[in-house]
Each structure stands twice: as structure tokens, then as C-alpha cells.
Amino acid sequence: MIVSAFLRSLFRRGGRTALALAGIAVSAALLLDMTMLASGLTGSFGELLGVSGYAIRVTPRGSLPFDSEAGIAGGDEVGRRIGAVPGVRAVAPVLGAQLYLARGDSAGEPLFTTGVDPASQFLYRITSGTAPGPGQVVLSEPLARDEGLGVGDTIRLASDLDVSLGRARQTRAWRVAAVADFLYDYAGQRSVAMPIADVQQVTGRTGEVSLFGVAADAGVDDGDVAKRISAVVPEVSTYSTRELMAEMDKRLLYFQQLATILGSIALAVTALLISTIITIGVRERFGEIATLRAIGVRRRRVMLAIVTEGLVLAGAGCLIGLPLGLWMAGRLDRILLSFPGIPAKMTFFAWDAGRVALAMAIVIAVGALAGLVPGWNAARTALGRALREEAE
């Protein structure tokens, strides 16, 4: 009864309570987003790595995939040695290069070009057409759309550019075999893929490979296979999904620190808002509290009623903040994914029901704790002093 009376008193002051709820909702939304940000990018990166089954990466010694222009010499031989490792199901070589879109004698912008084995590749999914053969290419959807190209059309690419004249050199016509969704491209990226032998030929990098994607047999642990590859081919670096995600965590340490700082600020703001609102309410109801204690109501019950106000405020703020946080996460995700170099299929904010529930529970707990101080002061004030202060 006392608790319900206190809550009715709280919501009778509609304007002040509404402002407090708005502030708590914003703080809860910020904490929710920071919770999702802390693990979102790493988690989506791990899912993207395994989407095609090629979860292991073999790269030049000491580098991450496409971290530098270094290559693996004798790619055919290295690929055979990797394929002979127990637990390896398939090996997919990749060679990264840069070709230029040629328009007459002039060259357009550079196109990121990958050489692949069309029979075992993990970089794209064909949406129209067939796997490319010699002299054929696969275009990314943005490139095909922007240039008005489709299956069966011809595209001219240059392997070299005369910088002083801005003219293309060594141009060649390629037939478009397919248009595909490139899994690791950033939003709007214009990319090309073709058989790896063609890329090696036009770039003069015979036998070279930038990296290998490796698929393990069903039921075999990626980490165990990666260790076996490292033992058999020690001149390269081998990364399992867990190791790549660990490297990703190191590179995203800034985001995790930022999430921790902003999340802590959100909790502090929530505590201050709830504590302030409840303290003001307690002062306004000092006479009512004194009267309750004078008629024999225990201090514990008075304190419980005040703490419950904090719980209700925090809980209502979380209910408002949850959809607000999801909306903010969607907007921020679109902005961050528009930056070059970030695959469009990744996400900065990943929904994790356990983490979200924990974040909301923390906000509610902070609300309860914020009500403890004014509740304790109101319950511990000597009855005579409380009555005198109310009379004044």
C-alpha cells in the first residue's frame, strides 16, 4: 500500500517524470548500443569467414589476408602441400591485383581484381551467369550496374597505366561470364574476379598467390587443421577462425574501449537522474514520510517504497530505450558501413539477447541503487527532526 502510494505520487508529477524517463531512455539506448558494438563487428566477421566453408586462411609469413602486397611464391606447390594435410577438404588460391577500366585510350578508376580457382573459391556468389573460364571475368553487382554490363558483354581492362599521360597501356578485352555478389566488398565497391592463371599472366606474377582459403573436413576442428598446416608449411602463416577473430579483436580494441567509456557514462547519467528525481520527491513528501513513521510504519518499508520508485523509473526508461537503441544502432550501422574498406555484409551492432538482457538489468539495478541514498536518508532521519523540518 505504501509502495503504491509513493508510485502514484511519482507519476502525478507528469512533466518532471517524463523528462526523467526521457533521459533514462537515452542513457539505456546508449548502453544498449555500446553493448552491441563491443562484440558486433568481431562476431559478424567470424560468421562471414565461415559462410562459404573456407574458414582457414594461409598468408605470407607474418601478415594477415591482404594486409600487404607480399605474395607466396610457388603457389601451386604450396597449394599441393596444404591439400595433402590430413583434415583439409579443399584449397582455394587467391591472387589480389589492380587492373584499370579502359575506355578507349584513357583509363578509368582502378578495380580491385582477384584471381581465383572458379571451381573452389569463397569470395563471391554468382547471381547470374556461370563460372569464368580463360579470358572471362566475373563482375561485382555495383560495377555491372554502373557500367550497364551483363553476361555476354565485353569489358576492356588495362594492367598498366601511364601516369604522366593518364593513358591505359596493355589493354585487353574480357568477356563477362557472370555477375556476382562479392562477400567481402564494401558498399558500392566495383570489383572483378577472373581465373588466377589470367591474373598471374597479365601482372607478370607467375606462380604467385596472395593467400589460400582452406576448408576443413566436416567435424574436424579448424584450429587443429591450422596447426597441422603450420607444421607442414612453416614458411607461411596459418590462421584459424578463432585466431583471425583474435587478431580482429586487437585491431578493434579502440571500439571496445570507446564502448566501455560511453557505456559507463550512460550508467552514471542514469544514476544521477534517478537519484536527483527521487531526492526531490522525498523532500517534497518529507511530511508524509514523517507522518508514516509517527504512526508506526517501519523504516524498512519506507525505504523499500523509495527504492521501488528508482526501480520503476529505470524499468520504464529501459522499455522506452530498447526500441530507441535499436533504431539508433541501425542508423549508426549504415553510416559506419559506408566507410571504404569495411565489408558491407558485416555489422557493427549485433543483437545478443543475453548481453542486451544483462545491459538492461544493469540499468535497473543502478536505478535501485540510486534510490538507496535518498531512501536511507529519509528512513534514518530522526523523527523529531523530520517533524520540525516539515513544520518549518
Side-chain angles (χ1 to χ4, degrees), residues 7 10-11 17-29 270 274 307-325 360-361 363-365 367-368:
L7 292 180
L10 174 66
F11 286 98
T17 301
L19 287 174
L21 285 175
I24 296 167
V26 171
S27 296
T270 299
I274 294 175
V307 170
T308 302
E309 287 187 51
L311 278 170
V312 171
L313 276 173
C318 285
L319 290 176
I320 301 171
L322 185 59
L324 176 62
M360 297 299 99
V363 173
I364 294 173

Side-chain angles (χ1 to χ4, degrees), residues 177-341:
V179 176
D181 177 18
F182 281 63
L183 302 177
Y184 298 94
D185 279 7
Y186 59 82
Q189 183 173 339
R190 294 151 63 92
S191 302
V192 176
M194 61 182 68
I196 190 169
D198 285 347
V199 177
Q200 291 170 338
Q201 180 185 12
V202 298
T203 60
R205 299 162 67 182
T206 305
E208 188 174 326
V209 172
S210 296
L211 64 90
F212 292 95
V214 179
D217 287 330
V220 179
D221 183 71
D222 291 344
D224 292 339
V225 175
K227 291 177 182 177
R228 294 172 197 161
I229 294 173
S230 295
V232 173
V233 195
E235 66 269 26
V236 298
S237 292
T238 306
Y239 299 94
S240 65
T241 300
R242 287 190 296 272
E243 290 168 330
L244 284 171
M245 290 178 66
E247 290 293 331
M248 189 75 166
D249 275 333
K250 291 178 184 178
R251 298 191 176 204
L252 296 175
L253 185 60
Y254 167 78
F255 286 101
Q256 294 171 349
Q257 291 174 337
L258 178 65
T260 300
I261 292 170
L262 293 179
S264 300
I265 292 173
L267 285 176
V269 169
T270 299
L272 290 173
L273 276 171
I274 294 175
S275 182
T276 300
I277 291 297
I278 292 179
T279 298
I280 293 173
V282 166
R283 294 304 304 174
E284 290 178 346
R285 299 195 303 272
F286 215 61
E288 180 183 347
I289 293 171
T291 302
L292 288 172
R293 290 185 53 202
I295 63 176
V297 175
R298 292 187 176 184
R299 293 174 175 175
R300 185 174 61 186
R301 294 186 64 188
V302 172
M303 187 171 177
L304 175 63
I306 296 172
V307 170
T308 302
E309 287 187 51
L311 278 170
V312 171
L313 276 173
C318 285
L319 290 176
I320 301 171
L322 185 59
L324 176 62
L326 294 176
W327 176 81
M328 288 171 54
R331 298 280 295 181
L332 290 171
D333 210 31
R334 285 193 291 272
I335 293 171
L336 293 172
L337 288 175
S338 66
F339 294 166

Side-chain angles (χ1 to χ4, degrees), residues 156-161 168-172 174 201-203:
R156 295 193 66 85
L157 301 175
S159 58
D160 196 10
L161 183 67
R169 295 186 297 197
Q170 301 178 17
T171 63
R172 177 178 169 182
W174 303 81
Q201 180 185 12
V202 298
T203 60

Side-chain angles (χ1 to χ4, degrees), residues 87-159:
V88 171
R89 176 173 58 84
V91 180
V94 176
L95 177 60
Q98 184 170 273
L99 300 184
Y100 300 87
L101 181 62
R103 295 187 176 92
D105 291 334
S106 63
E109 83 282 5
L111 303 176
F112 183 68
T113 306
T114 49
V116 300
D117 177 355
S120 58
Q121 62 79 29
F122 56 92
L123 299 180
Y124 57 79
R125 289 174 173 168
I126 292 177
T127 55
S128 63
T130 58
Q136 298 179 340
V137 297
V138 177
L139 306 184
S140 67
E141 291 178 333
L143 177 58
R145 181 184 62 246
D146 295 346
E147 298 298 325
L149 296 171
V151 176
D153 291 337
T154 299
I155 183 173
R156 295 193 66 85
L157 301 175
S159 58

